[in-house]
Amino acid sequence: MTVLTAFAKNDWKGKVVDENGDPVAYANVAVLSRADSTVVCGAVTGEDGTFNIVTRETDGIMMVAMLGYQTVYFTPKDGMVIVLKNDASMISEATVTAIMPKTTLTGEGLQTNVKGSVLENAGSAKDVLGKTPGMIKGQNGLEVIGKGAPLVYINGHKVTDAAELDRLQSNEIQSIEVINNPGAQYDATVQAVVRIKTVKRQGDGFGFGVNAFDQQSLQWKPGNTAYAALNANYRTGGVDIFGGINFSNSAYRQVSYNETASYGIDQGGQPFTFENKGSIEGEGFDRDLSGNAGVNWQIADNHFLGGKVEWSNTLKEDGATQVNGNVYENGALIDRLCTVTTDGIGPIKPFNLGANLYYNGVVGEKLGVDVNLDYYGTNSSSRSVSHETSDIQDADVVSIGESSGRMWAGKAVLSYPIWMGQLQVGTEETFSRRTDSYSIEGVQLDPSDAKVKEDNIAGFASYGCYIPQVGQLSAGLRFEHVHYVFDDALSPALNVDRTYNNWFPTVSFATALGPVQLLANYSAKTQRPGYSSLSGAVRYNTRYIWQSGNPKLEPVKMHNVGVTAVWKWMSFILNYIRTDNAIMMWSTPYNDEGVVMVRPENVPTPYRNLSVYLNFTPTIGPWNLNYTVGAMPQWLTIRPEDPREPSGYREISYNGKPVFFVQLNNTFTVKGGWQFELGGQVATKGYMQNMYITNTYIDLDLAVQKTLLKDGSLVLRLEGSDLLGTAHYDMDTDFGSHTMMQTNNFDTQRIKFSLRYNFNAAKSKYRGTGAGSDEKARM
């Protein structure tokens, strides 16, 4: 190519796009010296792909580089648009990439392009995430493999309402990035992040979308879940106004069989054994109404201001549980128990309210500014009534719990291009206040009246740059000062006042070795117990099972090391985590009358776990495959109390039997807007923390979908989940002086019909990123 020997001027503005014309964010733009190719100055493209370089260099070449794309060199000119082409050595043949989503490394994680792929018609955002490389359906919903539930962002806006992933449709998504090593700008408790970028809508006007579904259980006639959402958006000039309302009515059911055994020494010094064998049947019905409204105002080029309010109201929360059991002392039957408990909303109606204000822009030519102010408030209460019949003594127990929480948070981030990369510095402050009260009648248990105060003041800095012919290097450091106070007016012995000062480093390096993209990373993280886990109140489940939180829980400390490799349509991911002070549920005998106390505890020895897996996404004609196969071994050895041992302790190893898993998603696309899906997930027996999974988990799903109207704005979908009725986990646990076995049957075998319609859809351009995300989840 021909390169001129001098710049026309020394102030260059431009935009970097891909072959589809979509902006390429975080691409590295640099000016190189003609004499020796050294870097004179550089910049990083913004979310919209734009950049601005001011330099005194009068003789040089401009370079644009981004992992997964061909590096380009050119003579600059003002207002230039640089088109990056996919690196042909890093992707498979065009016949494959035109159908299956292309997955590449971004320097932080795996980015999967949804637009133009088979995932474009997968359903809701939640459906797409379940089929995105790096994600899996876990026991508690969607998880990043080996990292748990992620923090989700949509166009930079943090998702605080899970229903938002139901409202966002797959055909509105441009790409999904799965980050399993979040940088210093994120709270130190964030283990994984998912960033969703939507398709950019052009033009002004009014648009709305309707999303509704009805889901019916195949095992339980009352098990029906219905959901409906209406979202509207109006855009004119630089003003974008949006809002929505959502309604859900859900039902759930669980049937379990349980056997427990407790071992101890009575007051007379004699050993005893209590066994409890019985069933647990529970069902519940919830009804919720939520909404949101906000505005985004583009004041000028590169200057955005906006605000948003979100609220949710629990209209109904009814539950019923029946526990039947036979109790044996030293092998002899001593009690037959039946406990029937009804749960409902207490004297305070549950309500959540959140608000966000933000400014996002560029000051001067290069200084990026991102400021967020957040408020979150929650009120809730519950009332439980238990009627218990027993051969020993009947009981009627009534308990009432009330809680109220408030959080104020602020976050400010400044970014500035330096040399070949970008420097980011910022601060985040979170102030939380919470009250918890608990009273109980009919049994001799202490009430609770606790206040919790936690202040978290953090500062962070990170720098990322692209080194020509080497790769992309990023490093960050976060400092957090946390002051935590727990004050129970009725139980002063439980009071805690602690201060923590911790540093959390992160570092990552991405490069390409021939056709293979590589990413290696390290991070130090923490995990703070949820407020319910910190409550000292003792809950009454049955005469023999009590449950409590633990105000003396210490934060968890974690060290994460990961390696990711991508070649054509194959991805390999390995993550290793060492956890100190891991929090796990623990059961111990409470007295010599057979009562067991269940509460969270810090494990005194390190907990280490590894997740390693391969993802394949080839295409064979109309058949699109998305297969994941992997393993999750762990290492944990503890020495709890066990009165059966001469020393009074017994060593237990939760090692040697890893969980292997396979996730198989098959999609068949045919003409006429039809799409057929057959998917399944299998997980073997093995250890998970301090539990041993005793059954093979199998989840078989089937779906058929039809897209209607010329613009594809109407989508009808019919799907069946857990068709074999085997998507459940059975488990054994060994706590030393207490053991438990439980089998479970959940109401997951269901059929679902959904309808989605969008009229002149214009996605909100909301750019608020939020602050205090971890505190909202804990509340």
Side-chain angles (χ1 to χ4, degrees):
M1 63 186 299
T2 302
V3 179
L4 299 181
T5 59
F7 291 116
K9 58 181 180 178
N10 61 0
D11 187 354
W12 306 107
K13 296 180 181 179
K15 185 175 185 179
V16 180
V17 299
D18 61 17
E19 293 172 289
N20 296 321
D22 297 315
V24 177
Y26 311 116
N28 295 277
V29 185
V31 176
L32 309 180
S33 169
R34 170 171 297 282
D36 54 10
S37 295
T38 59
V39 177
V40 177
C41 62
V44 177
T45 59
E47 288 281 352
D48 58 357
T50 61
F51 66 89
N52 181 34
I53 291 181
V54 179
T55 178
R56 295 180 180 179
E57 175 67 30
T58 59
D59 187 14
I61 302 171
M62 189 168 283
M63 177 194 75
V64 178
M66 180 70 177
L67 202 65
Y69 296 90
Q70 296 177 5
T71 300
V72 297
Y73 302 86
F74 56 93
T75 300
K77 61 181 179 180
D78 197 28
M80 60 194 127
V81 176
I82 301 97
V83 179
L84 294 186
K85 296 183 179 180
N86 290 322
D87 192 332
S89 65
M90 296 182 182
I91 60 175
S92 55
E93 293 77 7
T95 55
V96 175
T97 57
I99 300 176
M100 281 307 298
K102 177 193 171 189
T103 298
T104 58
L105 285 177
T106 63
E108 291 185 283
L110 289 172
Q111 179 170 297
T112 300
N113 291 329
V114 175
K115 182 183 178 183
S117 77
V118 68
L119 293 181
E120 187 173 1
N121 294 311
S124 67
K126 188 178 294 185
D127 297 321
V128 177
L129 288 175
K131 301 172 183 178
T132 300
M135 302 287 293
I136 196 170
K137 294 179 181 178
Q139 293 189 61
N140 300 311
L142 291 171
E143 299 178 356
V144 173
I145 299 177
K147 291 299 185 76
L151 189 64
V152 181
Y153 287 83
I154 298 176
N155 292 336
H157 146 65
K158 182 176 67 277
V159 174
T160 56
D161 178 9
E164 192 166 352
L165 296 177
D166 289 314
R167 298 193 294 266
L168 180 64
Q169 302 306 302
S170 55
N171 63 347
E172 300 173 299
I173 299 175
Q174 176 70 39
S175 63
I176 296 174
E177 184 178 9
V178 178
I179 302 172
N180 55 24
N181 183 46
Q185 68 269 33
Y186 296 100
D187 190 292
T189 61
V190 177
Q191 302 298 311
V193 170
V194 169
R195 290 200 294 232
I196 299 174
K197 185 182 294 185
T198 62
V199 177
K200 184 177 181 180
R201 304 292 185 182
Q202 303 293 335
D204 295 340
F206 173 78
F208 71 88
V210 177
N211 178 24
F213 70 76
D214 187 83
Q215 187 182 63
Q216 176 60 45
S217 169
L218 299 179
Q219 298 180 341
W220 180 47
K221 188 175 180 180
N224 181 269
T225 296
Y227 172 84
L230 174 64
N231 299 282
N233 184 282
Y234 178 73
R235 181 180 299 162
T236 176
V239 178
D240 179 32
I241 303 172
F242 60 92
I245 190 167
N246 318 280
F247 172 82
S248 65
N249 190 79
S250 58
Y252 56 89
R253 184 171 185 253
Q254 174 184 348
V255 178
S256 301
Y257 176 77
N258 181 285
E259 291 185 4
T260 66
S262 301
Y263 310 95
I265 304 295
D266 64 20
Q267 295 179 354
Q270 298 299 313
F272 66 81
T273 300
F274 278 95
E275 295 176 279
N276 196 326
K277 302 178 181 180
S279 62
I280 305 171
E281 296 185 19
E283 60 186 46
F285 302 88
D286 297 339
R287 186 174 299 141
D288 299 284
L289 184 68
S290 62
N292 66 87
V295 60
N296 180 80
W297 179 26
Q298 184 173 356
I299 305 171
D301 289 343
N302 295 322
H303 291 279
F304 299 87
L305 184 68
K308 179 186 62 172
V309 175
E310 294 179 312
W311 58 269
S312 63
N313 190 5
T314 301
L315 305 177
K316 177 181 179 182
E317 195 173 62
D318 295 337
T321 305
Q322 180 170 323
V323 180
N324 298 301
N326 292 335
V327 182
Y328 303 82
E329 182 178 7
N330 299 323
L333 179 65
I334 62 167
D335 196 6
R336 287 170 295 182
L337 192 75
C338 177
T339 306
V340 178
T341 302
T342 58
D343 300 296
I345 297 174
I348 300 176
K349 204 160 191 177
F351 188 82
N352 300 323
L353 177 66
N356 169 257
L357 293 174
Y358 80 91
Y359 166 78
N360 179 277
V362 177
V363 178
E365 296 290 343
K366 298 182 179 181
L367 181 63
V369 179
D370 189 0
V371 178
N372 281 266
L373 300 174
D374 278 73
Y375 166 81
Y376 183 74
T378 176
N379 293 322
S380 64
S381 67
S382 62
R383 184 176 187 270
S384 297
V385 178
S386 298
H387 176 67
E388 192 169 74
T389 58
S390 165
D391 291 345
I392 298 176
Q393 182 179 0
D394 294 348
D396 288 294
V397 180
V398 179
S399 62
I400 296 177
E402 298 180 14
S403 65
S404 176
R406 300 293 182 267
M407 183 212 72
W408 299 265
K411 185 175 182 179
V413 183
L414 303 178
S415 58
Y416 194 83
I418 296 179
W419 189 50
M420 281 286 291
Q422 182 164 272
L423 175 68
Q424 233 183 28
V425 295
T427 180
E428 183 173 10
E429 290 79 30
T430 305
F431 306 97
S432 302
R433 304 293 183 267
R434 182 178 174 91
T435 61
D436 279 293
S437 64
Y438 179 76
S439 61
I440 187 167
E441 299 176 355
V443 66
Q444 299 251 338
L445 287 176
D446 293 333
S448 173
D449 185 11
K451 294 181 180 180
V452 180
K453 169 186 173 183
E454 183 170 298
D455 298 335
N456 186 331
I457 300 175
F460 58 87
S462 63
Y463 180 74
C465 66
Y466 181 82
I467 305 173
Q469 310 304 319
V470 177
Q472 186 168 324
L473 178 65
S474 300
L477 186 63
R478 184 183 181 97
F479 173 78
E480 291 191 357
H481 167 83
V482 179
H483 182 211
Y484 166 74
V485 178
F486 178 91
D487 185 359
D488 192 328
L490 303 180
S491 302
L494 297 176
N495 293 351
V496 175
D497 189 331
R498 294 177 181 152
T499 299
Y500 302 97
N501 293 290
N502 299 107
W503 295 91
F504 301 98
T506 62
V507 62
S508 66
F509 176 71
T511 189
L513 298 178
V516 180
Q517 302 173 65
L518 295 172
L519 171 66
N521 53 58
Y522 163 80
S523 65
K525 297 288 183 180
T526 188
Q527 179 184 339
R528 300 184 183 94
Y531 285 112
S532 61
S533 297
L534 294 168
S535 172
V538 177
R539 264 69 175 178
Y540 183 91
N541 292 340
T542 71
R543 175 185 300 276
Y544 299 100
I545 303 175
W546 297 355
Q547 188 168 348
S548 172
N550 185 356
K552 298 187 182 297
L553 284 175
E554 294 279 356
V556 172
K557 299 177 181 178
M558 289 174 285
H559 296 274
N560 304 264
V561 178
V563 175
T564 303
V566 176
W567 178 70
K568 293 187 176 181
W569 38 262
M570 288 189 290
S571 302
F572 169 82
I573 295 93
L574 181 149
N575 285 304
Y576 171 80
I577 304 176
R578 175 193 165 108
T579 305
D580 295 315
N581 293 332
I583 298 174
M584 299 182 186
M585 294 302 295
W586 207 260
S587 297
T588 54
Y590 184 73
N591 55 28
D592 58 3
E593 298 178 358
V595 176
V596 172
M597 177 65 74
V598 182
R599 71 175 195 169
E601 297 282 358
N602 287 114
V603 176
T605 56
Y607 169 60
R608 296 167 293 159
N609 65 292
L610 178 73
S611 59
V612 54
Y613 59 96
L614 278 168
N615 175 257
F616 307 88
T617 56
T619 293
I620 304 174
W623 179 19
N624 303 277
L625 296 81
N626 189 340
Y627 290 180
T628 301
V629 56
M632 292 186 290
Q634 68 171 37
W635 298 267
L636 175 63
T637 300
I638 58 175
R639 198 167 181 264
E641 293 182 357
D642 188 342
R644 295 173 295 177
E645 298 294 323
S647 66
Y649 296 88
R650 177 165 57 92
E651 186 173 275
I652 305 174
S653 295
Y654 305 91
N655 310 324
K657 296 181 179 180
V659 173
F660 294 91
F661 62 92
V662 177
Q663 186 166 280
L664 309 174
N665 293 315
N666 303 272
T667 303
F668 302 86
T669 55
V670 295
K671 295 181 179 179
W674 288 97
Q675 182 167 297
F676 301 90
E677 301 172 20
L678 176 63
Q681 182 175 323
V682 178
T684 66
K685 304 175 183 179
Y687 284 108
M688 297 183 69
Q689 292 194 339
N690 57 346
M691 299 182 298
Y692 180 73
I693 306 301
T694 60
N695 71 306
T696 299
Y697 173 96
I698 302 175
D699 183 9
L700 180 65
D701 302 327
L702 182 67
V704 58
Q705 181 172 290
K706 172 66 174 176
T707 301
L708 301 169
L709 305 183
K710 291 182 179 181
D711 59 355
S713 57
L714 177 61
V715 179
L716 305 178
R717 183 179 176 89
L718 180 67
E719 56 189 296
S721 59
D722 187 21
L723 297 178
L724 301 179
T726 51
H728 59 85
Y729 291 95
D730 302 332
M731 64 195 70
D732 284 349
T733 55
D734 187 348
F735 304 107
S737 57
H738 180 71
T739 60
M740 183 180 73
M741 179 279 293
Q742 183 166 312
T743 62
N744 300 295
N745 183 15
F746 298 101
D747 181 34
T748 53
Q749 190 176 33
R750 295 189 164 212
I751 188 168
K752 174 182 174 181
F753 174 75
S754 61
L755 177 151
R756 300 184 297 276
Y757 175 72
N758 290 314
F759 171 77
N760 192 27
K763 287 304 296 177
S764 166
K765 298 188 289 184
Y766 198 76
R767 302 168 70 93
T769 57
S773 56
D774 178 60
E775 278 303 296
K776 296 177 186 176
R778 293 174 69 202
M779 285 188 174

